[in-house]
């Protein structure tokens, strides 16, 4: 079930009172998403979205239902029933069998302690695993090795046919494992513990792979650690997200105490040059080469930011518990000429030579270091409750899911208007109602 809405959307219920976050006016010239298509297919919180191909995606949530959608038209292709409890994880799962065509599959895990593989073309259940002793909380597919991993109280490795290859013991910490193919055919695969990530002060909430050499983790108390993916040592640490002295361009906030939710790193994404972090209500841009935060918006939303992604043209999209979706642009500040260092008493007696050299070095570094800021360029108001995550489909638009049981497909208004005009022109030409003049 779907319906079209044109315009800026509506104010979420119960969110009329806004805090002093950055706002953007009604004329959002840089926000292309002026049309939205509301998709109704779920009866509870929609927590997960996964892209199947260039124009299809799947949604899942607490009602235990998996829906397949067309991202261009908003049509619901299939409604998949097989789980009896809420969905806890979902991942694309392409078949690589040489004897059959490459099929688009998805794999889902549920609180009913089952995992199901679905065929996205037919909408049918391919296979089901029911041997889990606890809920599977995450799924990872290693396409190159033709295996997939399920994580929860233990880590299991499976092949494409859903045969269990090996598993670990009970997990309590964040651990790095190495998956190796045993030389002994009877033993199959081995999972070896390599390192426990004990450098964080609290639970790790988010992880992003930057490239083959680097990955980044974020914790519940606001720590960000950059790791070397070869020897698993720390390259850099950032734990001063709320220190106003580190971000002097941001107005300090008076706080008697800080809730862990205000500093927790909820989500991370990267473009290999920077890591973009959702920290509490704010978003931060951490440059990997400079090893520092180069831009931030400490109060980007009224509530915690749940998901953040990098878009083309130096833009970001973030969504929040406050029901909003916001578009940001990373812009470079115009540098002001540095003031000359005054000569003082110590310089007069020659004691200031070291300070002078240090000031010159600091001045040179300041001149060579570009400064950035995050500018709000779009505010997408359509959901009435927490927006869990989103998918970006390029020209086809943006898909968001929410605790209000809805999925919204946001469209480029100018592009959709042009497509409708073109369709009308073609129909008139086919019916002979339009005289074409050469």
């Amino acid at each position: 079930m779907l319906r079209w809405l044109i315009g800026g959307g509506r104010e979420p219920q119960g969110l009329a009172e806004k805090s002093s976050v950055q706002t953007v006016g009604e004329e959002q010239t840089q926000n292309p998403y002026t049309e939205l298509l509301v998709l109704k297919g779920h009866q509870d919180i929609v927590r997960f979205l996964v892209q199947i191909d260039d124009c299809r995606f799947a949604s899942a949530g607490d009602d235990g239902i998996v829906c397949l959608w067309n991202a261009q038209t908003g049509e619901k292709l299939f409604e998949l029933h097989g789980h009896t409890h809420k969905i806890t994880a979902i991942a694309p799962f392409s078949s690589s069998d040489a004897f059959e065509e490459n099929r688009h599959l998805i794999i889902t895990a549920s609180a009913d302690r089952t995992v199901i593989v679905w065929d996205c073309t037919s909408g049918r259940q391919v296979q089901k695993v029911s041997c889990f002793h606890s809920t599977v909380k995450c799924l990872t597919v290693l396409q190159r090795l033709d295996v997939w991993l399920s994580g929860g109280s233990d880590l299991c490795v499976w092949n494409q046919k859903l045969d269990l290859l090996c598993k670990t013991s009970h997990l309590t910490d964040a651990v790095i494992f190495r998956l190796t193919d045993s030389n002994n055919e009877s033993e199959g695969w081995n999972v070896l513990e390599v390192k426990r990530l004990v450098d964080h002060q609290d639970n790790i909430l988010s992880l992003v792979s930057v490239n083959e050499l680097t990955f980044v983790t974020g914790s519940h108390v606001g720590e960000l650690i950059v790791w070397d993916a070869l020897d698993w040592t720390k390259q850099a640490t950032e734990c001063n997200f709320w220190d106003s002295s580190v971000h002097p361009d941001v107005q300090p906030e008076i706080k008697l105490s800080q809730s862990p939710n205000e500093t927790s790193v909820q989500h991370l994404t990267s473009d290999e040059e920077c890591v973009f972090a959702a920290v509490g209500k704010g978003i931060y841009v951490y440059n990997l080469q400079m090893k520092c935060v180069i831009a931030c918006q400490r109060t980007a939303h009224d509530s915690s930011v749940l998901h953040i992604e990098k878009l083309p043209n130096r833009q970001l999209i973030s969504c929040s518990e406050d029901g909003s979706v916001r578009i940001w642009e990373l812009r470079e500040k115009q540098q002001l000429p540095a003031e000359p260092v005054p000569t003082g008493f110590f310089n007069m007696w020659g004691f200031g030579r070291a300070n002078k050299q240090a000031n010159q070095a600091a001045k040179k570094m300041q001149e060579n270091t570009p400064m950035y800021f995050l500018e709000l360029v779009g505010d997408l108001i359509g959901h009435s409750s927490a927006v869990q995550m989103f998918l970006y489909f390029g020209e086809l638009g943006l898909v968001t899911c929410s605790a209000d049981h809805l999925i919204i497909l946001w469209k480029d208004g100018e592009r959709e208007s042009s497509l409708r005009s073109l369709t009308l022109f073609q129909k008139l030409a086919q019916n002979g109602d339009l005289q074409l003049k050469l």
Side-chain angles (χ1 to χ4, degrees), residues 417-427:
S417 179
S418 299
L419 291 175
R420 285 192 292 268
S421 299
L422 180 60
T423 301
L424 178 60
F425 181 88
Q426 292 173 342
K427 286 183 178 180

Side-chain angles (χ1 to χ4, degrees), residues 374-434:
L374 288 167
E375 178 73 18
L376 179 64
V377 297
D379 203 356
L380 283 59
I381 304 296
H383 287 290
S384 60
S385 192
V387 181
Q388 303 294 320
M389 66 173 297
F390 51 82
L391 290 176
Y392 177 66
F393 274 92
E395 290 186 347
L396 295 184
L398 182 75
V399 183
T400 58
C401 65
S402 171
D404 60 11
H405 309 176
L406 300 179
I407 299 166
I408 293 182
L409 180 57
W410 305 84
K411 292 286 189 177
D412 185 327
E414 292 186 4
R415 181 177 182 273
E416 294 302 310
S417 179
S418 299
L419 291 175
R420 285 192 292 268
S421 299
L422 180 60
T423 301
L424 178 60
F425 181 88
Q426 292 173 342
K427 286 183 178 180
L428 291 175
Q430 290 175 358
N431 296 334
D433 297 332
L434 183 65

Side-chain angles (χ1 to χ4, degrees), residues 216 222-226 236-250 265 268 273-279 282-298 316 330 333 369-374:
V216 179
E223 295 173 301
L224 182 145
I225 298 181
V226 182
T237 303
E238 172 66 52
C239 55
N240 296 313
F241 288 116
W242 286 92
D243 188 348
S244 59
S245 64
V246 178
H247 313 294
D249 295 328
V250 180
V265 184
L268 295 170
E273 178 185 354
C274 295
V275 172
F276 306 92
V279 184
I283 53 180
Y284 295 76
V285 182
Y286 181 88
N287 186 280
L288 291 165
Q289 184 176 3
M290 298 166 57
K291 293 182 172 57
C292 67
V293 173
I294 61 171
C296 69
Q297 189 60 242
R298 293 174 62 168
L316 297 171
L330 184 63
K333 289 183 179 179
T369 302
M371 298 298 294
Y372 298 89
F373 68 100
L374 288 167

Side-chain angles (χ1 to χ4, degrees), residues 199 397 438:
D199 298 78
L438 301 177

Side-chain angles (χ1 to χ4, degrees), residues 172-174 196-206 217-225 227 239 258-261 263-265:
T172 56
D173 300 320
R196 291 180 179 263
L197 303 181
V198 296
D199 298 78
H200 280 289
Q201 298 180 27
D202 205 340
N203 294 334
I204 295 175
L205 295 184
S206 52
T217 54
S219 75
H220 187 58
V221 293
E223 295 173 301
L224 182 145
I225 298 181
W227 301 86
C239 55
Q258 295 172 6
S259 166
N261 291 332
T263 60
S264 62
V265 184

